[in-house]
Structure formats: C-alpha cells, structure tokens
Amino acid sequence: MTEQKPNIVCLKDYRAPDYLIDDVELTFELAPRDTRVTSRLHVRRNGDHGNPLRLDGDELRLESVAIDGAALAGDRYSIDADGMTIESVPESFVLEIVNRVDPIDNTALDGLYQSSGNFCTQCEPEGFRRITYFPDRPDVLSRYRVTLVADRVTCPVLLSNGNPIEQKDLGDGRHQATWEDPHPKPSYLFALVAGKLEAIHDEFTTRSGRKVDLGIYVEPHNIDRCDHAMRSLIKSMRWDEETYGREYDLDVFNIVAVDDFNMGAMENKGLNVFNSKFILARAETATDQDYDGIESVVAHEYFHNWSGNRVTCRDWFQLSLKEGFTVFRDQEFSADMGSPAVKRIEEVNLLRQVQFAEDAGPQAHPVQPKEYQEINNFYTATVYNKGAEVVRMWHNLLGWDRFRQATDRYFERFDGQAVTIEDFIDTMAEQADFDTAQFRRWYDRAGTPVVRVNKERDGEQVQVVLEQEIPAVAGQEDSDPFLMPLRIAAFDGEGRQLPLDASGSTEETLILNDSRTTFAFPVAADVDRVVLSLNRGFTAPVKIQHAYDAGDLTLLARCDTDEFNRWDAYQRLVLKTLVGRIREAEEVGEWPETALPEGLSEAFGSVLHAANNGTDARFVAECLALPSEPYIAEQFERDVPVDAIHRARVELRAQLGNEWSQSLMLTYKNQAVEGSYAFDGADVGRRALRAQCLSYLNALDHPAWRRLAVEQIAETDNMTERFNALQALCVRESVERDEALEGFAKQWADDPLVMDKWLSLQARIVQPDDKDTLSRLEAHPAFSIRNPNRVRSLVGTFSRANPVAFHAASGSGYRWVADKIIEVDGFNPQISARMATVFSRWRRYDGARADLMKEQMTRMLDRPDCSTDLAEIVGKALA
Ligand code: B3K
Ligand code: ZN
C-alpha cells in the first residue's frame, strides 16, 4: 500500500494567483532527447504582497534561471519534485528559464511527446508543467510567441498556436518557424506540433469577412482520409455563426491527427490536436459510426474556441463550465446535421449507461466537484454529459430566445477571462423567472434523482402525483428536491393524444420543484384508458418510475408522438421482459422455458414494419437494438446475475429472430443501399437497420443467414456494411465467423484503426476463462499496450462489453484486466486509472465475485509505484 497521504485539492481553498504573466516567449530546439526549451516570461505581481514566485514543474532538467538578464545563483531559488520557488522577486520583471526535456521517453502522452516520430503536445489540464516551469493554472492568461527550431528533413512542418509570423532556414540543416497568438490564453491551451506531415487545405470566410486558412495535417499515408473532417469543420464554423453568433478569430485554424493520444481530441487555440480515430475516414476503412464521431468531435473542439478558450475556467473545479456547455453545443449541432430523435436516443443511452452508473458508485461527484486528488480523473461522464443535460435544462426552462440572449451576454461579459460556473449561472439567471438558487443544486449534488409518478382517475379528472426521491451518494445525504422541467402528454386507449387543459393543448412542461408535485387534467367520461407519456424528449436527467403495464408500453411504442418516448417505451417493454425472465429464473432456481410474449412480439413487428411506411430507418434500428448487458445489469441493485443477463438477451434475440425471420429478411433486402457509399442520413439509416436485421437472423443457427452475412462482406464497397456483417456473424460461433475474422485480419493488417475494430469484436466474444485467445490477441502485431486506442479496443471492450468473460466466476477475467492495468500504470497513469473504473462497483456483485474484484484492486494499489491517478480510483472504490 502506498503510505503517502493523498494530496487533496479543494474548491474552497481557491486563491487568485500571486503573479500574472502577460507575455510568454518560448523557443524550442526540438530533438527526441534533450529538447531545449527557453522561456521568457513577462511577470507582474498580482496585488500587494511579498509572497515568493511559485512555478509548477514536473520532470524537467533545469539549465538556468535569470531575472532581467541576470543569472540567479543557486541560493536565490529552490527546486522540489513539483516545481520551483523564487523567494524574492521584483514587482515586474522578465524571467528567463532554460530547461530540457526528453520527448522520446514521455510515455504518459502528457506534455511534449512523440507519436509516430512526430513531436506533439498535450497540456490540459496539467501537462504544460512537463514542458517548462510555469504557473500552470487556467487563471493565468498570457499572449504567446513561440519559435520552433528543428531538423528540416525530419520536421518539415512546424506548427503552434495563433498565426504564423515567419519561417526561415538556419543553414545548418535546421529551420525555424515563429507563431504568435494574440489572444491571451491559459497554459493548458498551448500546443506545438513538428514532424513529417502532409496537409489538406481549404478556407472559410467568416461573416464579417475574415478569410481563414484551414489545414488538416496527417501522416502522408493518410492524406486521402481527411475530407470528411474538413467538411465537418466548415459546417461547424458556419453553424456556430448562425446559431450562437460566434465567429472565428485567427487567420488560420489547423488540426493535426496523431496516433497516440490519451483521449479524443484537444481544443488548443488555433491548433487542435486529435486522436487520428476522430479525423481519418474513407468509405473503405471507416464506419458510419466513425463518420458520426468525427463530425461531432471536430465540432466539439471547434466550439471550444468560444466556450472554453475565449471564455475559460478559473480553476479545474469549473471544468463543466466549458465541457458541459460545449457538449450541449455539439449535441445540438449533430441534431441539426442529422436526426434529432436518433441523436437524443444516443445521448440518453450514454447518460443512462455510463453517467447514471458513475453517479451511483464510489466515483460519484457533482457536476462541479468540490475536491480531487488527480484532476485527470475528473474528465467524467458527470462533468461532460450530466453537465450538458444541465445546460439543456437551462435551455428548456428559458426557451431558445432567452437562452441565446444569456449566452450572448456570457460571451461578451467574460471574453478574455477565466470564470466560474457561478458566473454562467448568474448570466442565465438574469433571463429566468424561476428559482435559480434551487436550480443550482444540479451543480452541487451528486446522484440521479428518481421521480415516482402515480396517476389516479377520478371521474372526469386525472390526477398525476410526482414525487422526487434523492438518493444518498458520496456522503451527500440530504433529500431536498431539485427544480426540473418535465414534459408530459397523455394518450387514450386508441393511441389518441389527449388535451391537457381547456385550451386543448396536448403537451405540458411541468416544473417540479418540490418533493411532491401534483398535476390534474380533465378527461371526457367516455375515455376509458389514459396512458401517460412522461419526461418526453428526456427533458430532465432523472429516472422515472411509473407502473406501466405491457399494454401501456406497447401502446406508447406504437403511438407516442414524441419519438424519443416511442423508443423509450419499446425499450422499457424489452427490459421488462428480460428482467422478468431473469427474476423468474432466480426464483424457481432453473432457467424457465418461456414463450415470446405476444405483446412484445407484436410491438417488435410493428416497429420493424414502420420502416416500410416511411419511418426513419435509423430510428427503427435504434428501437430494435436490444438494451446492452451492462444496462440490463443496472436494473439490479446487488448480486448482478451476469450469466442470466447474457442468457436472457441471447435467447430473446433468437426468439424474435425466429418469429420474424421472414420480415427481417424482407426488410434486409428492401433496405439495400443503391450506388456507392455516401455518408448521408437516409443511407446511414438503411445500413443501420440492415445491421439489426442481420444480427437477429444470425442469432439463429442457420447457414442461409450466415451466407447472407458472408456475401455482404464480399460484395460491399464500404467498412460499415463489412463490419456490420462481421458483427452479425459474431452473434454465435461458426466456421464462417472464424473464416471471416481471419480474412478481415489479413486484408486490414496494415491499418491500425481498422484492426482496432477487429480487436474489439473479438474482445466482445471471447469466452470465459479462454486465456489462450486473450494471449493470442495480446501477442498479435495489431495490438500494442503502449497505444491507448489499442488498449481501449482490446482491454476496454473485454472489461466493459463482455461481462460474462470479465466476471468469469474463476476470477480469470479480473486477473487479466488487472495485469494489463498494472502494466499500463508503469508508463501511462491516465489510461490505467480510467481502465480501473470498471472495478469500481464491485459491491454490486455476489460475495465470491466481489471478493475476487477486491483482491485485484488491492493488488493494483499495493505497489510502491502505484500512480496517484490509479490510487485515487481504486482507493475510493475500496474505501
Ligand atoms: N479538453 C479536452 C480534454 C482534455 C483531457 C485531459 N485529460 C478534450 C475536450 O473535451 O474537448
Ligand atoms: Zn471538450
């Protein structure tokens, strides 16, 4: 066990910086080993005090320190493990520091490192201190002038933030380029890239007439995979002007794609650095899902230019200020680019599966956390996705016009400043006619509220009672109610939408702000049945409990005019069937022989047939997708029946496939896409629906359906259909499956992003205790433990999407994953800590499994060199 006491950073301890730095001049003499960094900081005292100057620094080799040109003797400053202190300094001065770093040894991918031999940086949140000594906190904003010096042959491209100022040859085989960023920014937005890269270029003229040169830089062999990202960038720039009135503010905007990257992408000012997964796409190698991901991540990083860069965070407790808001912005952008209902379904799926789970476990924290040990552990679904839901509620409560007035004011008032969530709330509150103090609870209180809804019919009136229940989590035990908008409607037994008031309006947004809220509406005496449609469009990020019977859900799945709720009703129906079977098996002690419930079967058929009657095929595909095993597991508070969940799901797929095989086959044929691949809404929908049909059919042990998949692989021109068919074949064991997997590996051996798909498909199907397959995959040339994308594809998918093997009763799954985490922790703590969250909710599993999980967590923690990142995650889980 690490004996060191964790260093806890608390929001309440925030103090303004003692010194500000107006201008930064950096010179990098780049080399894989011994990169020399010369930093000239124009420092100014902030306020009246005699405090020393403290600079953060991590793993730096100091060469010299000088103030106003005079070198400092060793006794004028001190160096410790976290930085440098200079005891007495003038009121304002120029501090020159020279230090060295070794990018080639930087395996944590944080700070200045190399990817495929090219230099790149990642500084958010605390990576800049791994480059040079600096007050590495977001409330110190400076103008940067950066000069890069490097070998002309190995580094023909030299990029940094802002606008290019000059480039020259140094005559000794090296060249240099200088970049200047006129917009003051915190150090976390600094970036440089140098290497052998090629670019595609385009341009965008802002509505006030600024011509912006756009560039996407990639390794030369990827140059034919950048067009979709460029189109996405241009669409994002236009959308932010049209929707939020936000214009771009530099002469250039560059994006660089790198293969080794800890997360999705980074919004460095004017120089976004991306995980290549979120840039590279062409029809033969990327799926529709990849195309979607690229569009939304490119948009997300671009939108940060205002929500994050121009207006930034005072400290890291304010992270959701930029992330929640920017996620909401990118969600709305994607909704506008495609199908709003499908987009909303995807968002809620993620929220329910990842954020609700996080919010119910040992890592639960509010949207604005109050303390942390390692800030990198707080880039979470709560900060990002629940944060976005909270912004969405502002938007729903204020309405678009007032919300937009508030965002205009926010950007204008705080432009160039580092601000707080409180500042955002205050600006929204100026437009609000409700109790914003109560609304603030969404930022302060962890846990997912439950809203229990009861309905009573009293003659010609329906009385709806809504009660809030606030779970005790993470030491927060109060049960004060939240303020939330909840959109509702009602239907009669024929599926006709009922008026909710005398004016005839058929939808109401209730504002719940008490533990108990009632709402009544009149119904005609001859209406014999009333079915409520609750939390339409998922207006509030809560769990709704209401005693729906199968008939209610079937009716809503067919008739609800809110598409999101139509999907939700169908999913609830499926979930009800699955959970019912699992519980029955538990009760009787053996697996029940159960026929397919008629209501569910009919609902399935009517959803499937809706695609032939003009319903968006993509929406239909979303409905037909069975709830994932982890989401089914969420329905069980303890002793999660891992194996029964798997079995029930497999069995239901086969029953539905069997019952509807003819219609599935017909739909599969009808939805075939004519012509060559295009990333176009209608075609994407058709492919998604065909994928579902093929998966249901392949749940049956019949060569004809396997042949269909094999033919699809052979005949298609694109990765979406190839991958979907392979995935369908993976629904059960077969010779065809094994041959297809082998053929795929041969064909795409040289394409790491495609091989990630292959790794994850197999991680998903590897059987419990099959150590040989895991060893074979690990040893495969497509895998590398050093690359985060590979690790996520193999280890991440195994631990999150293959519960039967991860939770194998022998403990072999836990052990294998823990081995990988320990190995990764030796060189990349951000990734090991993230991987370890899969163990966090060990208490929900039966005693034997819980003990085995605990044992592995103790093993991870009980190492003298356990990183602080991993120690925080595992320590909290075990506490
Ligand atoms: N802001 C970055 C995330 C940085 C994560 C550092 N561990 C990407 C984004 O949310 O846009
Ligand atoms: Zn972001």
Side-chain angles (χ1 to χ4, degrees):
M1 196 84 57
T2 24
E3 293 301 334
Q4 253 183 343
K5 250 203 137 128
N7 180 22
I8 297 177
V9 186
C10 298
L11 168 59
K12 63 174 172 34
D13 296 338
Y14 172 83
R15 280 198 317 121
D18 283 338
Y19 294 89
L20 298 174
I21 299 185
D22 297 318
D23 287 282
V24 176
E25 296 156 56
L26 296 171
T27 301
F28 288 85
E29 291 157 79
L30 290 164
R33 201 170 291 291
D34 247 0
T35 283
R36 189 161 184 263
V37 187
T38 305
S39 158
R40 279 170 58 84
L41 309 178
H42 297 252
V43 188
R44 161 167 67 94
R45 184 179 304 155
N46 186 28
D48 188 16
H49 63 77
N51 296 339
L53 172 67
R54 175 74 192 164
L55 303 173
D56 301 297
D58 184 12
E59 293 188 29
L60 305 172
R61 287 198 307 282
L62 182 65
E63 201 175 292
S64 61
V65 193
I67 286 186
D68 292 330
L72 289 196
D75 58 356
R76 289 279 312 279
Y77 63 91
S78 62
I79 301 281
D80 56 51
D82 302 321
M84 173 193 298
T85 306
I86 307 177
E87 275 308 328
S88 79
V89 290
E91 177 134 3
S92 84
F93 57 99
V94 175
L95 177 66
E96 184 167 308
I97 295 176
V98 182
N99 67 275
R100 290 174 189 262
V101 290
D102 298 329
I104 198 166
D105 292 336
N106 183 350
T107 55
L109 315 182
D110 188 22
L112 174 62
Y113 65 97
Q114 284 198 296
S115 176
S116 312
N118 299 317
F119 295 94
C120 63
T121 53
Q122 170 56 36
C123 293
E124 185 182 355
E126 298 181 336
F128 194 71
R129 64 189 63 186
R130 291 163 59 84
I131 296 175
T132 186
Y133 289 97
F134 199 78
D136 193 13
R137 44 188 285 170
D139 56 354
V140 172
L141 277 64
S142 328
R143 281 177 298 268
Y144 283 67
R145 187 184 168 96
V146 178
T147 298
L148 306 177
V149 181
D151 183 85
R152 246 182 33 208
V153 177
T154 55
C155 291
V157 171
L158 302 173
L159 306 172
S160 191
N161 314 91
N163 299 317
I165 300 300
E166 75 168 353
Q167 179 138 15
K168 65 177 180 213
D169 198 295
L170 297 179
D172 57 357
R174 298 185 307 163
H175 65 154
Q176 76 170 43
T178 300
W179 292 76
E180 198 171 70
D181 182 0
H183 300 282
K185 64 169 178 287
S187 51
Y188 84 84
L189 290 172
F190 164 81
L192 75 77
V193 170
K196 238 187 210 152
L197 299 163
E198 278 182 19
I200 66 160
H201 292 279
D202 209 321
E203 61 179 50
F204 181 83
T205 305
T206 68
R207 52 174 197 186
S208 65
R210 181 197 283 269
K211 193 172 83 51
V212 185
D213 290 325
L214 312 175
I216 297 185
Y217 289 80
V218 295
E219 288 178 57
H221 62 274
N222 287 325
I223 197 71
D224 60 343
R225 301 190 194 192
C226 303
D227 295 348
H228 176 62
M230 183 61 91
R231 274 195 302 273
S232 303
L233 174 61
I234 292 171
K235 284 199 258 182
S236 310
M237 296 179 88
R238 191 168 300 128
W239 187 89
D240 214 16
E241 288 191 350
E242 287 169 359
T243 314
Y244 282 88
R246 298 294 112 203
E247 259 185 63
Y248 189 62
D249 51 8
L250 290 165
D251 303 333
V252 299
F253 185 86
N254 285 321
I255 288 178
V256 181
V258 302
D259 284 342
D260 303 275
F261 207 66
N262 281 345
M263 62 275 160
M266 178 62 213
E267 70 264 25
N268 317 301
K269 183 79 186 187
L271 177 58
N272 287 188
V273 177
F274 271 65
N275 183 329
S276 54
K277 175 178 166 58
F278 290 108
I279 291 296
L280 304 179
R282 62 188 168 91
E284 296 75 29
T285 58
T287 61
D288 290 336
Q289 214 187 343
D290 296 327
Y291 274 77
D292 255 338
I294 291 166
E295 188 177 84
S296 77
V297 180
V298 167
H300 179 98
E301 305 311 332
Y302 174 72
F303 297 156
H304 267 315
N305 190 54
W306 275 96
S307 46
N309 301 4
R310 288 287 287 255
V311 181
T312 196
C313 300
R314 187 193 73 173
D315 54 71
W316 294 118
F317 297 102
Q318 320 303 329
L319 185 55
S320 194
L321 174 72
K322 74 178 178 77
E323 295 304 346
F325 188 19
T326 305
V327 171
F328 173 70
R329 276 151 55 70
D330 87 55
Q331 289 176 344
E332 291 299 279
F333 165 77
S334 296
D336 284 353
M337 295 301 119
S339 152
V342 168
K343 181 68 187 140
R344 193 70 189 124
I345 290 166
E346 289 170 355
E347 288 153 19
V348 175
N349 259 333
L350 186 119
L351 195 78
R352 283 178 174 163
Q353 293 191 40
V354 184
Q355 198 279 324
F356 283 11
E358 180 173 273
D359 227 351
Q363 256 87 50
H365 54 275
V367 168
Q368 183 186 55
K370 308 303 167 201
E371 55 177 51
Y372 59 77
Q373 293 173 34
E374 174 49 64
I375 184 56
N376 275 300
N377 287 334
F378 283 79
Y379 286 75
T380 60
T382 299
V383 166
Y384 275 65
N385 305 87
K386 184 174 181 180
E389 292 299 319
V390 176
V391 175
R392 182 177 295 274
M393 283 191 284
W394 279 116
H395 164 259
N396 280 332
L397 288 162
L398 297 175
W400 170 254
D401 290 342
R402 283 189 295 159
F403 178 74
R404 169 66 203 272
Q405 276 175 34
T407 62
D408 279 358
R409 199 164 290 186
Y410 169 77
F411 288 127
E412 198 183 312
R413 190 178 284 168
F414 301 114
D415 189 6
Q417 297 182 41
V419 303
T420 61
I421 283 176
E422 202 70 54
D423 292 321
F424 183 86
I425 294 176
D426 289 348
T427 314
M428 290 285 145
E430 287 167 17
Q431 304 292 325
D433 51 12
F434 56 88
D435 180 357
T436 53
Q438 187 185 5
F439 188 77
R440 202 191 189 297
R441 250 171 99 55
W442 285 107
Y443 292 95
D444 295 331
R445 177 65 157 87
T448 309
V450 176
V451 176
R452 225 190 293 286
V453 185
N454 277 304
K455 149 194 104 192
E456 259 174 51
R457 174 84 179 260
D458 182 10
E460 297 193 5
Q461 205 188 47
V462 172
Q463 161 110 335
V464 184
V465 180
L466 306 106
E467 287 170 301
Q468 294 192 35
E469 190 188 300
I470 316 301
V473 285
Q476 295 184 295
E477 287 177 3
D478 66 276
S479 56
D480 301 346
F482 283 75
L483 185 147
M484 65 181 88
L486 199 90
R487 205 184 302 154
I488 74 164
F491 293 84
D492 71 9
E494 307 301 315
R496 284 179 297 239
Q497 196 161 347
L498 296 167
L500 297 178
D501 60 23
S503 74
S505 104
T506 53
E507 191 179 68
E508 190 77 41
T509 299
L510 307 179
I511 307 296
L512 311 191
N513 56 8
D514 229 324
S515 299
R516 188 168 185 277
T517 309
T518 57
F519 170 71
F521 61 93
V523 279
D526 60 347
V527 173
D528 57 355
R529 182 160 162 217
V530 175
V531 182
L532 298 178
S533 167
L534 298 159
N535 204 16
R536 313 185 95 205
F538 207 72
T539 47
V542 299
K543 295 181 185 169
I544 298 284
Q545 280 184 8
H546 179 56
Y548 282 121
D549 64 25
D552 296 338
L553 294 172
T554 317
L555 182 123
L556 290 175
R558 198 161 32 90
C559 305
D560 202 324
T561 47
D562 183 85
E563 277 186 296
F564 173 83
N565 267 17
R566 225 157 69 219
W567 167 84
D568 199 35
Y570 179 74
Q571 292 287 314
R572 277 172 192 262
L573 186 63
V574 174
L575 205 56
K576 202 177 168 71
T577 307
L578 289 166
V579 172
R581 284 183 177 185
I582 295 162
R583 293 217 193 280
E584 193 187 330
E586 268 172 3
E587 272 158 32
V588 299
E590 64 181 62
W591 196 252
E593 285 287 325
T594 351
L596 182 59
E598 213 169 288
L600 174 61
S601 179
E602 269 171 31
F604 182 92
S606 97
V607 170
L608 183 60
H609 288 140
N612 301 329
N613 308 328
T615 304
D616 176 15
R618 197 163 179 194
F619 173 77
V620 174
E622 287 290 350
C623 291
L624 297 186
L626 290 174
S628 69
E629 290 180 36
Y631 185 59
I632 304 169
E634 282 303 310
Q635 316 308 311
F636 297 84
E637 292 241 322
R638 59 179 59 84
D639 293 349
V640 175
V642 182
D643 300 303
I645 290 172
H646 181 70
R647 184 166 177 177
R649 191 171 178 275
V650 166
E651 190 179 277
L652 186 66
R653 187 188 290 284
Q655 282 183 321
L656 287 165
N658 189 40
E659 184 77 12
W660 291 96
S661 58
Q662 287 313 311
S663 303
L664 286 162
M665 171 69 189
L666 274 178
T667 308
Y668 174 79
K669 296 242 137 120
N670 286 343
Q671 298 290 333
V673 179
E674 302 287 329
S676 56
Y677 178 88
F679 179 66
D680 152 280
D683 286 4
V684 171
R686 284 167 168 266
R687 287 188 286 266
L689 181 52
R690 271 160 67 81
Q692 284 301 330
C693 294
L694 209 53
S695 291
Y696 277 99
L697 290 169
N698 273 279
L700 309 170
D701 185 11
H702 199 303
W705 307 134
R706 294 199 284 277
R707 203 163 337 132
L708 216 51
V710 170
E711 281 168 12
Q712 181 169 314
I713 293 173
E715 287 163 14
T716 185
D717 70 342
N718 65 76
M719 182 53 74
T720 308
E721 292 239 297
R722 186 174 298 121
F723 180 74
N724 288 348
L726 194 57
Q727 197 164 25
L729 275 178
C730 284
V731 165
R732 59 186 305 140
E733 276 177 60
S734 69
V735 176
E736 290 91 331
R737 177 194 77 177
D738 295 344
E739 286 175 0
L741 281 168
E742 208 179 308
F744 190 94
K746 278 211 185 93
Q747 189 175 356
W748 302 104
D750 297 330
D751 195 317
L753 290 175
V754 177
M755 288 306 281
D756 279 344
K757 301 179 195 304
W758 181 82
L759 287 170
S760 72
L761 266 183
Q762 304 199 65
R764 212 176 268 269
I765 57 172
V766 57
Q767 296 293 310
D769 298 323
D770 181 356
K771 290 189 204 125
D772 292 348
T773 300
L774 290 177
S775 310
R776 179 173 57 77
L777 291 170
E778 249 185 283
H780 195 280
F783 182 74
S784 157
I785 194 122
R786 297 266 161 174
N787 179 285
N789 287 358
R790 307 299 94 84
V791 171
R792 280 186 279 259
S793 300
L794 182 58
V795 191
T797 309
F798 175 82
S799 60
R800 291 176 204 280
N802 188 348
V804 276
F806 176 61
H807 294 283
S810 65
S812 64
Y814 304 144
R815 211 170 313 121
W816 184 73
V817 173
D819 285 346
K820 300 310 118 198
I821 292 173
I822 290 170
E823 191 177 348
V824 172
D825 198 45
F827 56 85
N828 190 338
Q830 282 182 37
I831 298 293
S832 57
R834 201 155 277 252
M835 287 161 79
T837 56
V838 75
F839 285 92
S840 291
R841 295 176 77 209
W842 59 282
R843 287 193 172 86
R844 292 168 66 240
Y845 294 85
D846 59 76
R849 282 183 167 116
D851 284 347
L852 290 165
M853 290 174 94
K854 206 171 149 188
E855 189 186 313
Q856 294 307 323
M857 281 190 285
T858 312
R859 183 161 75 93
M860 290 180 227
L861 192 59
D862 203 2
R863 298 176 301 128
D865 50 355
C866 181
S867 68
T868 52
D869 305 55
L870 182 60
E872 178 176 25
I873 298 292
V874 177
K876 280 185 181 163
L878 288 174

